[in-house]
Amino acid sequence: MANILHIDTSPRGERSISRALTSEFVTSWKDTHSGVNVTYRDLGRNPVPHVDESWIAAAFTPVEAHTPELTEAIKVSNELVDEFLAADYYVFGVPMYNLSIPSTFKAYIDQIVRVGRTFAITENGYQGLVDSSKKVLIITSRGGTFPPGTPYEVYDQQEPYLRILLGFIGLTDVTFIHADSLNLGDEPRQKSLAAAKDAIAQLVNNW
């Protein structure tokens, strides 16, 4: 059975483009593939805690030396990491906020990117511990557009960061679908949404 971890990060409900598109993909995937189990996490409505001092102490203290307080401090992170590692596929809906990702998604990333769990430090440098055969789909929603090779490309601090971060923990098979130009008028908006939906339909059969 294939396990999909589906995460939405927008605080919006029915008005969220990224939510609508991730839902469209996951629904279509389930309709065309048998034996699919989906774990859903809504970070936009139910954010995870930010890293604090107790978390740091727990993360860098051997488990056998954990006090009850340290065990409690790292409990949520352990649950999130276990859930993350159990997935075979990842579908993330990520709106662009101020050229990057929502703080709710950054808080989640900080909870799951942990030495000894999702990456290691070796004599040869950093090593991702997540199975590199797993696939990631990230669907973004953006008010503007940042085409490669244009002066606007440098403003995209979303895709480059996520590619580097996911590669850092071992995930290199990453696909992005950008629903962009959403604030540039009705015609560019509708054209971009149609292109995103076409990309989703194609990926369902080839992912």
Side-chain angles (χ1 to χ4, degrees):
M1 176 177 289
N3 293 309
I4 294 179
L5 178 58
H6 174 192
I7 294 179
D8 282 323
T9 64
S10 172
R12 290 180 170 180
E14 293 182 356
R15 296 189 302 127
S16 170
I17 298 298
S18 60
R19 282 180 185 272
L21 293 176
T22 60
S23 177
E24 182 172 332
F25 178 84
V26 172
T27 299
S28 297
W29 175 268
K30 290 173 65 178
D31 288 343
T32 56
H33 296 77
S34 60
V36 177
N37 178 63
V38 178
T39 299
Y40 180 67
R41 187 168 289 276
D42 186 344
L43 297 179
R45 299 292 180 84
N46 301 289
V48 300
H50 287 278
V51 165
D52 59 16
E53 186 173 2
S54 296
W55 186 101
I56 295 170
F60 291 93
T61 299
V63 174
E64 59 271 17
H66 277 190
T67 63
E69 290 76 18
L70 292 182
T71 299
E72 183 63 26
I74 206 71
K75 179 181 178 181
V76 170
S77 178
N78 282 334
E79 292 172 352
L80 293 172
V81 171
D82 289 344
E83 178 181 85
F84 190 86
L85 293 175
D88 304 302
Y89 300 88
Y90 305 92
V91 178
F92 301 145
V94 188
M96 176 178 275
Y97 285 178
N98 297 319
L99 308 179
S100 188
I101 63 175
S103 63
T104 51
F105 197 31
K106 181 59 168 62
Y108 174 82
I109 287 170
D110 290 343
Q111 290 283 356
I112 66 165
V113 178
R114 280 176 51 192
V115 65
R117 295 298 312 272
T118 52
F119 77 95
I121 303 174
T122 73
E123 60 181 14
N124 297 317
Y126 297 113
Q127 176 185 348
L129 298 179
V130 183
D131 185 347
S132 63
S133 68
K134 298 182 178 186
K135 297 178 181 291
V136 184
L137 169 62
I138 299 176
I139 299 178
T140 74
S141 55
R142 301 168 162 198
T145 183
F146 311 91
T150 72
Y152 300 102
E153 180 181 11
V154 68
Y155 293 113
D156 180 2
Q157 298 299 304
Q158 188 182 49
E159 179 175 342
Y161 166 70
L162 291 174
R163 283 195 183 278
I164 291 171
L165 186 284
L166 292 169
F168 180 75
I169 62 175
L171 294 168
T172 55
D173 191 343
V174 182
T175 300
F176 278 84
I177 295 177
H178 298 301
D180 59 13
S181 305
L182 299 179
N183 295 337
L184 301 182
D186 187 63
E187 184 176 350
R189 175 188 175 92
Q190 295 305 322
K191 183 177 180 180
S192 179
L193 288 175
K197 288 176 178 290
D198 286 345
I200 286 172
Q202 293 179 27
L203 191 63
V204 164
N205 296 316
N206 297 286
W207 202 45

